[in-house]
Each structure stands twice: as structure tokens, then as C-alpha cells.
Amino acid sequence: MVRIVPSILSADFARLGEQAGEAEAAGVGEIQIDVMDGQFVPNITFGPGVVGALEVHLMIVEPERFLATFAEAGADRLIVHQETCDDLRGTLKSILELGVHAGVTLNPETPAAAIRDAFDLVDLIQVMTVHPGFGGQEFLYDQLDKIREIRQMLEEEGLEIPIGVDGGVDTTTVPQIVAAGAHVLVAGSSVYNDHGSVAENIAELLASAQIS
Ligand code: DX5
């Protein structure tokens, strides 16, 4: 089943709660908050105060420093970048010990094999389909191969872990993403924009997933 996960990075920051509410009213079960530190990525965004019950994508160096803070702030899932963890398994175990879900994400340059030994600790694998740091970027089509590769690795191990993508998700890219084997679609600018309401935009994305 395809899940749309709105990224509030593209929402109206003056109406964050309301914009998150519009997505919830549209039937989504998760909303992603992109935490950036200006070091791992060239942007600075939200802190624990904005979290509440959301998915937290940590684009920060040494994420271990803030796992408990974001868990206590109400995060349901903490998603860490493979590139920022000296001991990925240790970091993921720390997340699980906090009683929240753990996810791993990998930048476009990072090979699929880099996260293979984390499969038993995560319930989401997120492939960055843009270089992290900003919304509204072009989708990186070369990452479709990585999605297929991860899907195959999971099948070889008899595992059914949802694969997600983050970046450049819209009604044009969704059919190819779903056909490649990813079903958790993080979407920012295609959900929060002036073209349509949040509910209309989410419905359009879901409809485009049926095309695959
Ligand atoms: C970028 C973030 C994404 C971003 C997606 O680093 O991780 O979640 O908000 O925005 P779009 O969907 O506009 O590419």
C-alpha cells in the first residue's frame, strides 16, 4: 500500500500546526519533520519544540546527541542518515531503547550495501532522491536503481521492510518510484503549494500511484 508522508519543510511556517492538521484531515498517518543543523546539510530548520507526534528525519551530525530529546518531544520515528553514524547499529539500538521506531536513510552517493547490516533494526529504509537540505529540487532518477537493489536485497533475506523515498516526489515521478518498489513517499512541495489544497494534492499523488 502506498503511503504519502507530507514533509512540512514546504509548509507555511506561520501556520505549521494548521498545515499539519490539513494533512492529517486528508487521511495521512505520518508527517515528516526535517531537522537540519547547517553542518550535515547547508540549511537550518526545526528543533525539538516543533516535533509533537511526527516522523523526524535527522539531517544533523552526531545524531546520538539528540535522540532522547526528540523522542521525549514526541517523535514516533527517528530516521538517521547512514553517513552521520560512526556506529549505525549502535545508534539504531539507542533509538529503539527510547521506545520509538527507527529508520535509516542514505544520500544519493551512498551505496545500498552501506545499510545492509541495519535491516534487523529498522522498520523504514528511506532513499534520498535529492541531495538533502531543501525542498522543491529535481528528482534524481538514477536512484530508482538503488530502490530496486534494496528491494532485491530484502527479498533475498525474506524481509518486508517498507522502502521510502524523499525528494522530488510528484505525480510524474510517483509511478516510476512505486514500480521500482518504494511505497512510502515523502512529499513537500507537491503537497504544500498554491496549485491545490493539501487534501487535493495528496489525492492526486495517491491517484498517480495507481498508474504504476
Ligand atoms: C530535503 C528534505 C525533504 C524535502 C522534500 O532535504 O529531506 O523532505 O522537504 O521536498 P520536495 O518534496 O519538495 O522535494
Side-chain angles (χ1 to χ4, degrees), residues 58 60-68 80-81 84-85 91:
L58 294 173
I60 63 175
V61 298
E62 299 171 41
E64 299 76 18
R65 297 170 298 150
F66 290 100
L67 299 178
V80 292
H81 270 265
T84 62
C85 300
T91 302

Side-chain angles (χ1 to χ4, degrees), residues 172-202:
T172 306
T173 56
V174 164
Q176 299 175 66
I177 295 167
V178 172
H183 298 92
V184 181
L185 314 179
V186 176
S189 52
S190 60
V191 169
Y192 295 109
N193 59 50
D194 301 333
H195 309 312
S197 71
V198 169
E200 289 162 348
N201 292 336
I202 290 172

